[in-house]
Amino acid sequence: IIIPYLNSELKIESGYLFSNNNAVKEIKYDDVEIYKLLDNINDSLFYYNGVSFLAKNVTTKFTYSNKFNINTNLNITIIENNSGYNLNDSNDLIKLEKEINDYLSDNIDKFIMILKDYNSDLFGFKILLENKYHNKLHDFKDKDFNIVVSSHISKKGLLKR
């Protein structure tokens, strides 16, 4: 993928996926933000159900054991809340964290499907398979993915607890 890195003040609107040195697909803002999350880049900006939030302290790990495992941990800083959630209510925060985890997991899954469709191995899936099976006969496009996202809404941003 080629993403023009400008600076922390500017938003990247799109990027390109590559396969075998050929640009094969333009990806838009939402997919660029998922790519950044998977590549451990902080400050990805997301919008979910009236809530805009930044991903901070992102840690994503890829492993393979009969299927690919993607584990992403992050802190969330709420930027704007136009939802029905009361951010001062701990039950609402727990519910929102779970929904954000599901939202990010679903979007990661969609992004992985795009990578499979265009045979774009951004994250070294083929190398993980090669290390497991000691040959190049396996393709990541045929494998299942287990995606786990664990987020924690930080007390910074709009939260005053």
Side-chain angles (χ1 to χ4, degrees):
I1 189 168
I2 290 186
I3 296 178
Y5 181 78
L6 302 170
N7 66 41
S8 63
E9 303 294 320
L10 299 174
K11 179 170 79 169
I12 298 169
E13 292 293 331
S14 65
Y16 287 90
L17 291 179
F18 279 74
S19 179
N20 298 322
N21 296 322
N22 296 313
V24 292
K25 168 101 173 122
E26 181 179 10
I27 58 172
K28 298 296 181 188
Y29 175 80
D30 292 339
D31 289 327
V32 170
E33 295 303 285
I34 291 295
Y35 162 78
K36 289 167 48 182
L37 194 71
L38 293 173
D39 203 33
N40 296 312
I41 299 171
N42 289 311
D43 297 327
S44 293
L45 178 63
F46 296 96
Y47 305 95
Y48 169 75
N49 201 21
V51 177
S52 60
F53 61 93
L54 284 174
K56 299 283 192 176
N57 301 0
V58 178
T59 305
T60 298
K61 295 187 178 168
F62 302 93
T63 58
Y64 182 80
S65 179
N66 299 322
K67 64 181 164 183
F68 286 101
N69 296 294
I70 300 174
N71 293 300
T72 299
N73 294 296
L74 65 145
N75 288 330
I76 291 172
T77 300
I78 303 290
I79 303 299
E80 187 173 1
N81 178 26
N82 292 317
S83 71
Y85 291 104
N86 176 357
L87 299 182
N88 293 313
D89 182 327
S90 61
N91 290 329
D92 274 5
L93 284 179
I94 291 168
K95 200 181 303 184
L96 181 58
E97 279 178 356
K98 183 191 177 327
E99 288 184 22
I100 286 174
N101 290 344
D102 292 344
Y103 166 78
L104 292 173
S105 180
D106 290 347
N107 281 280
I108 290 170
D109 186 53
K110 289 175 189 171
F111 188 65
I112 295 300
M113 294 306 296
I114 292 170
L115 296 180
K116 286 179 168 187
D117 289 346
Y118 289 91
N119 197 32
S120 186
D121 186 14
L122 294 177
F123 303 107
F125 298 127
K126 292 176 185 175
I127 292 170
L128 287 173
L129 288 172
E130 211 173 296
N131 289 340
K132 172 79 174 174
Y133 296 108
H134 305 292
N135 63 47
K136 296 182 179 186
L137 300 176
H138 297 272
D139 193 346
F140 79 98
K141 296 185 330 184
D142 304 327
K143 303 299 180 190
D144 292 328
F145 283 75
N146 178 47
I147 300 164
V148 176
V149 176
S150 299
S151 66
H152 173 73
I153 297 175
S154 71
K155 294 180 184 177
K156 298 178 181 176
L158 294 178
L159 301 182
K160 294 179 176 113
R161 291 193 268 175

